[in-house]
């Protein structure tokens, strides 16, 4: 009997709303798949922040810097570099504190933006930052992995605004290649051609 009553309520509710379908439908705002919205200019924002992109060298192993699949670009993991282009090596919680790790992660962000510029020709083609995976070379007692990777995430939001907000993992590693302090990879969505 309980099921018959529920069925009757659903039928009545359905018939009451069927004539007003257009009033109930909520339409999402239209977002262009093909071009950036007015006022969205990551290239200009980089200039305002005083950030210089870097020359990208060829990969040292059997991989590529980026792979595009449809409207997604997957970026290979990169490590941090100092002002003279040397890899920042060492462990967080031993050789480096959180602030130094934050700066190292930000330097990786500049490298990844350099890769994107090289691949796409213009950062304004980026629709949004989708996902970031940050790996922190840390001593076992270190607990501030997310604060380190914030250096990268904060840069993406500084450059892309709300479109820079992304899903993220920030994890600790016992070691990273060549003892680099952090390694970060990213997935971005681009406007359709």
């Amino acid at each position: 009997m309980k099921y018959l009553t529920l069925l009757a309520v659903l039928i009545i509710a359905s018939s009451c709303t069927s004539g007003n379908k257009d009033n109930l439908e909520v339409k999402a705002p239209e977002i262009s798949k093909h071009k950036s919205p007015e006022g969205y200019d990551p290239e200009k924002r980089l200039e305002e922040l005083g950030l210089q992109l870097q020359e990208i060298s060829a990969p040292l192993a059997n991989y590529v810097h980026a792979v595009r699949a449809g409207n997604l670009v997957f970026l290979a993991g990169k490590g941090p570099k100092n002002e003279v282009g040397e890899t920042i090596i060492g462990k967080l919680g031993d050789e480096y504190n959180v602030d130094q790790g934050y700066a190292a992660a930000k330097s990786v962000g500049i490298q990844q933006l350099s890769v994107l510029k090289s691949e796409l020709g213009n950062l304004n083609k980026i629709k949004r930052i989708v996902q970031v995976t940050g790996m922190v070379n840390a001593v076992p007692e270190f607990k501030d992995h997310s604060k380190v990777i914030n250096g990268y995430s904060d840069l993406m939001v500084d450059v892309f605004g709300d479109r820079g907000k992304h899903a993220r993992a920030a994890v600790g590693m016992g070691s990273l290649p060549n003892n680099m302090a952090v390694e970060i990879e990213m997935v971005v969505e681009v406007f359709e051609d």
Side-chain angles (χ1 to χ4, degrees):
M1 186 66 177
K2 192 188 317 185
Y3 295 111
L4 288 175
T5 304
L6 179 61
L7 182 59
V9 168
L10 289 173
I11 291 171
I12 292 168
S14 174
S15 66
C16 289
T17 60
S18 64
N20 294 326
K21 246 183 182 175
D22 293 334
N23 294 339
L24 296 176
E25 195 172 313
V26 177
K27 295 187 178 187
E30 291 199 25
I31 297 173
S32 173
K33 295 178 179 181
H34 304 286
K35 65 178 184 173
S36 57
E38 195 172 319
Y40 174 73
D41 193 347
E43 294 274 342
K44 182 179 178 187
R45 185 66 183 136
L46 271 179
E47 287 179 32
E48 292 169 355
L49 293 168
L51 296 173
Q52 295 268 345
L53 297 184
Q54 304 166 349
E55 189 82 18
I56 298 300
S57 58
L60 298 175
N62 194 14
Y63 71 94
V64 294
H65 292 299
V67 172
R68 184 168 178 176
N71 64 338
L72 296 178
V73 181
F74 297 79
L75 278 75
K78 296 271 177 246
K81 298 204 182 272
N82 62 21
E83 304 80 35
V84 294
E86 299 168 333
T87 301
I88 298 170
I89 60 171
K91 287 192 176 288
L92 275 291
D94 186 8
E95 289 101 333
Y96 301 110
N97 63 31
V98 172
D99 291 338
Q100 292 166 315
Y102 180 99
K106 183 176 181 178
S107 82
V108 178
I110 292 168
Q111 285 187 74
Q112 293 289 39
L113 293 177
S114 300
V115 168
L116 285 167
K117 173 89 174 185
S118 174
E119 291 289 322
L120 300 173
N122 191 314
L123 295 179
N124 294 350
K125 293 181 179 180
I126 297 169
K127 188 173 186 179
R128 75 165 301 131
I129 307 301
V130 176
Q131 197 263 339
V132 168
T133 302
M135 297 157 274
V136 179
N137 187 3
V139 297
E141 303 77 29
F142 190 76
K143 294 180 175 43
D144 291 321
H145 307 87
S146 59
K147 290 180 181 175
V148 169
I149 302 304
N150 280 347
Y152 190 98
S153 295
D154 290 349
L155 175 64
M156 295 303 128
V157 173
D158 284 346
V159 173
F160 298 100
D162 283 344
R163 294 170 181 271
K165 293 180 180 176
H166 49 268
R168 185 181 87 176
V171 297
M173 299 289 177
S175 66
L176 286 171
N178 300 317
N179 198 32
M180 65 178 120
V182 296
E183 182 175 4
I184 305 172
E185 59 185 28
M186 166 168 77
V187 179
V188 304
E189 181 182 13
V190 296
F191 290 103
E192 294 177 14
D193 294 327

